[in-house]
Each structure stands twice: as C-alpha cells, then as structure tokens.
Amino acid sequence: MVDAAAIAKLREAFAADLSAATTTRDLQAVRDRYLGRKGGLVPALWAEVAAAPVDVRRDLGRLANDLKTFVESELSDRRRALDRRAAAGTAAPQTDFSLPGRIPRVGYRHPLTLVRERIEAIFGRMGYEILDGPETEDDYHNFEALNMPREHPARDMQDTFYLGVPFQRTVVPVGGNRPGLMRDNEPGVDASTPRATPATLLRTHTSAMQIRYMQGHLPPVRVISPGRVYRRDNLDQTHTPMFQQIEGLVVGEHVTMADLKGTLVGFLSDLFGSGVDIVFRPTFFPYTEPSADVFMRDPSLGPRWLEMGGSGMVHPALFEAVGYDPERYTGFAFGMGVERIAMLLFGVDDIRQFYENDVRFLEQFGH
Ligand code: DAH
C-alpha cells in the first residue's frame, strides 16, 4: 500500500542513485529506472496512487507529482553538469603548452620576379625609368615603326600570335613630355579620338615599347621595360610560347656604341659578378644599325659562350617614325630574355620549370 513514507523513501533512493551516476550512461540508466515508461518506478507509483482510497488519493497525488518534478529536474541538472565536464575534459588535452609552435607557411616570390627585381634595381641605380607596356599590340608598334614594313623578310624571324578579333583598347593617358601627341596612335590617326589603334596581335618582343615611349616623350630617354612576350614556339627545354624580356632604350645627343657596351658590361657584371667575360658579335636587326648580339661567359660555369640578348644603335628610321631629329639624336637599345638570365643565375636547366608552379621548385628561391 502506497503512503507518504514510501514516496519519501523512493525520493531518497533516487537521490542516492543519482549521486552514484558519474557518466552519461549511468545517468541514462537512472532515468530508465525511475521514469521509464515500462516498469519505471515513478509511473508505477502513479498507478498505485490512482488505485489508492479516495480520501488519501489527493494528497498522495500531490506528493507523487512533486517527486516526478524533482526527478526530472535533478536528472536534467545532472545531465548539464556532465556535458559541461565532458566539454572541459576534451578541451583540456588539446592545449599542450610544451609543444613547439607551428611556423605558418608563407608564400614565395617567383624566381622570375626575383630576377626581374634585381635587374630593375641595377638599372634603377643607373637612373633608368621602368615602364610597363601592353601585351596586346598593333602591327604598327610591334613591326612597322620598328623598320619592319609589311613585306620585310625580318617579320618571318618571329612567328606571331594574331588575335582572332582585333582588340579595341581604350587609351590610358601616360604622363609624357610631348602633350600634343596622341601617344597610342599611328601618325595620321585623329589625335582627339579616345580610341587607340586596335591591337591585332600579342607582342613578339618588348621592342614595341621603344616606339610607344618615344611617341610620348622627347629625349633624353633612358628606360627599361620588362614584360611578357609571345611567340609560336613549341614547348621544350629552352622554349615557351610565352616568356619575358627586358627592353632597354637610351636616346640623347652624343650617345655612342661605347655607351651601349659600357652599360651592358656594367649590368651583366653587377648581376653575375665581375669575373664574367662579355663580347659583342655583329648581327642584324631591322631596328638597329649597327647591331650586336651579346655573349657572356662565366669561367666558373664553364667555357661556353651564352647568348644573352640583342642590341644595337637605334636605326634612324625609328627616329623618323616618332618625329625625333635623326641628325641630332642617337641612341642604343637592347633586349634580353629574363628566363635565360634566371636559368644562369639559379642553375635551372629547363625553362618549363618556371611555368609549372611546382612548389618544390618554387620554394627553393626564398622570399
Ligand atoms: N627584339 C629582339 C628579340 O626579340 C631583341 C632586341 C634586339 C631588342 C636588339 C633590341 C635590340 O632593343 O636593339 O629578340
């Protein structure tokens, strides 16, 4: 027969079971034991209360109800306490202050960027201005103004990527000292138009920048222009269809071939060390006269002469194209491959490595 004492005993039993429960599994077992639908002690108590004589049923009902509320709230308090402990318990071992710190992985600058910056620093110290230029070009700047008219066989020297659709560029005004001139246009194109001559090709050399710069600036000129160029070459150990060049141009009164030689010898000795040998060998370029290929030999790397680039005295036809007086001004120009320089500096024997983006290659060059 259920009575108030039996209910009080059940409450004590529950409190004892609860305090013995130390895991969530224990807690679940206590819940099942007291609140389980089938055979749970509290529902069983309710059944007994319902069967009790009418005169005590009401009081017993209230006590049973209190017990149920007590059991439920104690169980949920304990569950929360256990959850908190579990959270704290798993967090604790994660923080091991004795472990060495992790060094964050930082990126590396590309070897071609490092080389380009070294080249720019050397010419910067010599007082050169450093220019960027467009990679899409028109025939005029890439060929014609460089003394390579349409039927000129020299155009066969470079296999060109032509654009399927001419690319209309908007003229970006560049601060020059020839404000009257439309810097981006061929002569004869209305200077008031904001439209440049459409590009029809990917530039095959940075020499196109010689014309662009002179169109916007009067002498004295002392510039280098690094950038990407494109040719229809197949990929192999020494060729990529896109590569980088550095163009140089100096124009003034009394600029001589001795200045050209002195500049390139100074530049290459600065970059590779004063022990290198440099020779100039006569050759032909339509935009220079005389023209010279530049060869370098580094005795510490072996007896071979390596071709570093082309150079020469600016052909008077270029001055005529840009409206400089060829009787008054002379100049020299040169063009060099950046990959070739990087390959020599870093001992890389396959040009393709620069463009494969293999981190194992890239991370060898430091920041
Ligand atoms: N444009 C030449 C090339 O792509 C390199 C060159 C030769 C540039 C002679 C020059 C130069 O400025 O004077 O191979």
Side-chain angles (χ1 to χ4, degrees), residues 158 205 207 210 231 245 247-248 285 287-288 310-312 333-335:
Q158 293 157 346
H205 51 182
S207 303
Q210 292 189 24
R231 290 186 200 171
Q245 287 189 329
E247 190 77 14
F285 296 106
Y287 29 92
T288 44
S311 68
F334 56 87

Side-chain angles (χ1 to χ4, degrees), residues 142 146 148 157-158 204-208 210 229 231 243 245-249 260 283-293 307 309-315 318 332-337:
N142 196 76
L146 287 166
M148 298 159 87
M157 283 161 66
Q158 293 157 346
T204 58
H205 51 182
T206 44
S207 303
Q210 292 189 24
V229 300
R231 290 186 200 171
F243 58 101
Q245 287 189 329
I246 297 267
E247 190 77 14
L249 176 68
L260 166 62
T283 186
F284 172 78
F285 296 106
Y287 29 92
T288 44
E289 181 58 35
S291 305
D293 280 329
E307 191 182 336
S311 68
M313 299 306 292
V314 179
H315 197 290
L318 273 68
F332 67 78
F334 56 87
M336 281 175 289

Side-chain angles (χ1 to χ4, degrees), residues 5 23 46 78 81 85 131 158 171 173 182 184 191 201 218 232 253 265 300 308 333:
T23 65
W46 274 97
R78 178 55 70 92
R85 204 190 311 158
L131 299 177
Q158 293 157 346
V171 181
M182 187 65 196
D184 216 28
L201 49 88
L218 290 168
R232 302 180 73 116
E253 294 176 53
V265 168
S300 71
M308 302 305 293

